Amino acid sequence: MTRRERLRELDLLRFAAATAVVLYHFTGFGGAGPWPAPSRDVFPEIAPVTRFGYLGVDLFFVISGFVILMSAWGRSPGEFGVSRLVRLMPAYWVSVLLGAFVYGLFRMGHGVPGLVIPNLTMLQGGLGLENVDAVYWTLWVELHFYVLAAVLAGVGITYRSCLIFMAAWMLGGVFADEADSDLLQVMLIPTWSCYFIAGMALYMIHRFGPTLLLWGYVAASYLLALHWGAWRAEHVFRGADEIVVSAVITGIFAVMILVATGRLHRLRWHGLTVLGALTYPLYLVHSQVALPLLDAVYPGLDRWAALAAVVGASLLAAYAVHRLVERPGAAWLRARLKASLKPMRQPAEPSTLVAHGDRGGRGGTDLDGSEPRDRAPVEAART
C-alpha cells in the first residue's frame, strides 16, 4: 500500500479544539467544576471568550466525519471496528480508572465503583448511567456515527453509496425530528449529524475534487449546524450569544473547507503530529487531573499560576498516556483483535459467475459509469 502523506493541519485543528474545551472547563464554565467557584467567575477577564470553548466539540465532529470516512474507505466492517477499538479504548480505560483513583483517594469526581464498571464498556450512555467524566458524552455521540459508518462499510463504501448514505442520514434525521420519534432520534442523532455529514462531504471533495452536489451537502449541513447551534445556545448553554455561536460555526466550516481544498497544505511542521497525538488523552484526562491538583495548590498559588499549573499537568499527563499506554496498548490490542477475526476469513469457494470487473461488490460508478478518480493519497490525522 502506498504510504499516505499526513494531513498535519488536522492535527493542529484537533489540538486547537481540545484546547478550546480545556479552557472552557477551566475558565469559561458556569457550573460546578475544579475551582471552589464556577470557573467563569474565577476568570471574568477571559470568560466572555472561553465560555464559547464548548464549540470545540463541533469542530471535533466535523473532523471526525472527514477522518472516519477516510479510515473506513476500503475496509470491511470488522477491520473498521478494530481500527476504532484500537484507537479509542486504551486511553479511555486509563481515563475511567483515573476517575476511580481520584474518587477513591480524594473523594472527588464521579468515579464510584458502581459507575466505573459500566463506564469501562463506553456504553453507559445507553444504559442511562452517569459518566465518570462529563466529557464522555461526546464519545457516545461518536459511537452512533461509528455504527452507521460500519453499516456503510458493510454495504460497500463507494462514491455513489456515500452520496446515498449522506442524503438518507440527513433527511432521516430531519424526518425523525419532525415525527418526534425517540427511536429514530437516538439512532440518527439529528442534532449532531450535520457535522459528521459535512466532514464526509469535505473528505470526498478532498479525495475526488469539488462538485456542485458535494458543495450542496456542505451547505445544507452548515445551515442545519447554524440551526442546532442556536438551539443549544438557547436551551443548553443558556446565555450564549447566538450571533457569536453562528460566527464560530461559520469559522469551523470555513477552516475545514480550506483543509478539504488543500489551502492549508503548507502546515507541515512535524511537531503538529505530536500535538495531534496528545489531543485525545488531553481531552480525556484534564478534568480528572484538575480536581485534586487545584484543591492542593489553590489559593496558595494565585489563580493564573494555578491555571498554568493545571494546564501544564494535563499536558504532561496526556503525553504520558500517549507514550506509556496508547502506543503499546494499541499494538497489543490490534494484534489480538485481528487474530479474533481470522476465523471469519475462510477461503472463498471458486465462483463460476462472471464478476463485475474486480469490484467484489465494493466498487461504485460515477454518472458516466466510471468511479471518480482519486487524487494523491493522503493520510489524515488519527481520530
Side-chain angles (χ1 to χ4, degrees):
M1 179 181 293
T2 303
R3 178 65 179 171
R4 293 177 181 268
E5 183 185 358
R6 189 177 184 87
L7 286 174
R8 291 193 174 90
E9 55 265 49
L10 287 181
D11 287 317
L12 176 60
L13 290 176
R14 291 176 65 236
F15 186 77
T19 301
V21 173
V22 168
L23 290 177
Y24 168 69
H25 288 150
F26 290 167
T27 68
F29 184 52
W35 301 91
S39 60
R40 188 181 300 174
D41 297 336
V42 179
F43 295 94
E45 301 91 342
I46 60 175
V49 175
T50 58
R51 67 179 298 178
F52 295 98
Y54 72 87
L55 291 165
V57 171
D58 301 51
L59 176 55
F60 271 132
F61 287 161
V62 182
I63 295 172
S64 182
F66 190 107
V67 175
I68 295 307
L69 182 57
M70 173 182 283
S71 175
W73 205 292
R75 283 177 167 170
S76 68
E79 292 168 336
F80 172 71
V82 167
S83 72
R84 292 297 87 206
L85 288 172
V86 166
R87 176 67 183 116
L88 295 181
M89 299 311 291
Y92 175 75
W93 286 329
V94 169
S95 174
V96 175
L97 295 177
L98 177 62
F101 173 79
V102 169
Y103 180 82
L105 194 61
F106 303 102
R107 287 296 185 267
M108 295 179 173
H110 303 285
V112 298
L115 290 179
V116 168
I117 293 176
N119 268 250
L120 287 171
T121 68
M122 204 184 279
L123 301 178
Q124 67 276 5
L127 299 174
L129 298 175
E130 189 175 5
N131 292 308
V132 167
D133 193 312
V135 301
Y136 296 167
W137 74 266
T138 63
L139 302 181
W140 184 238
V141 174
E142 288 264 0
L143 188 59
H144 287 67
F145 175 43
Y146 297 161
V147 170
L148 293 174
V151 172
L152 178 60
V155 173
I157 299 181
T158 67
Y159 191 93
R160 176 183 291 173
S161 67
C162 285
L163 294 179
I164 296 171
F165 174 85
M166 291 188 295
W169 191 8
M170 181 181 294
L171 293 174
V174 174
F175 295 160
D177 190 60
E178 179 188 21
D180 198 22
S181 169
D182 291 338
L183 175 62
L184 290 178
Q185 287 181 12
V186 167
M187 293 176 62
L188 302 178
I189 49 170
T191 60
W192 295 110
S193 60
C194 51
Y195 293 108
F196 297 112
I197 295 169
M200 293 175 68
L202 288 167
Y203 171 67
M204 294 178 69
I205 288 172
H206 177 79
R207 177 166 181 162
F208 299 109
T211 67
L212 181 60
L213 185 55
L214 290 176
W215 284 126
Y217 279 108
V218 174
S221 298
Y222 167 66
L223 294 176
L224 287 172
L226 290 178
H227 166 74
W228 289 115
W231 180 86
R232 274 185 285 274
E234 180 179 355
H235 297 282
V236 181
F237 300 94
R238 292 185 176 88
D241 190 313
E242 293 182 16
I243 295 177
V244 176
V245 170
S246 297
V248 174
I249 292 173
T250 301
I252 289 171
F253 274 76
V255 73
M256 287 301 298
I257 287 172
L258 293 178
V259 171
T261 54
R263 286 175 169 79
L264 297 182
H265 69 280
R266 295 181 183 275
L267 296 173
R268 287 294 178 264
W269 178 48
H270 287 272
L272 297 178
T273 302
V274 177
L275 295 182
L278 295 181
T279 297
Y280 182 53
L282 175 63
Y283 183 77
L284 290 177
V285 305
H286 72 275
S287 293
Q288 298 297 336
V289 168
L291 288 172
L293 180 58
L294 285 178
D295 186 62
V297 304
Y298 181 78
L301 293 177
D302 71 76
R303 58 198 173 112
W304 294 104
L307 175 64
V310 74
V311 171
S314 298
L315 288 169
L316 286 175
Y319 183 76
V321 171
H322 172 64
R323 289 300 301 268
L324 302 178
V325 178
E326 278 195 306
R327 290 172 64 172
W332 184 90
L333 190 60
R334 182 183 294 107
R336 282 151 183 81
L337 289 174
K338 286 186 175 180
S340 301
L341 295 178
K342 281 186 178 180
M344 299 172 57
R345 302 191 184 104
Q346 299 299 328
E349 293 294 330
S351 174
T352 58
L353 298 177
V354 177
H356 290 279
D358 62 351
R359 292 184 297 160
R362 297 183 63 80
T365 59
D366 204 347
L367 296 180
D368 63 356
S370 62
E371 181 75 12
R373 299 171 65 180
D374 289 2
R375 294 177 166 184
V378 178
E379 178 193 1
R382 294 184 306 162
T383 185

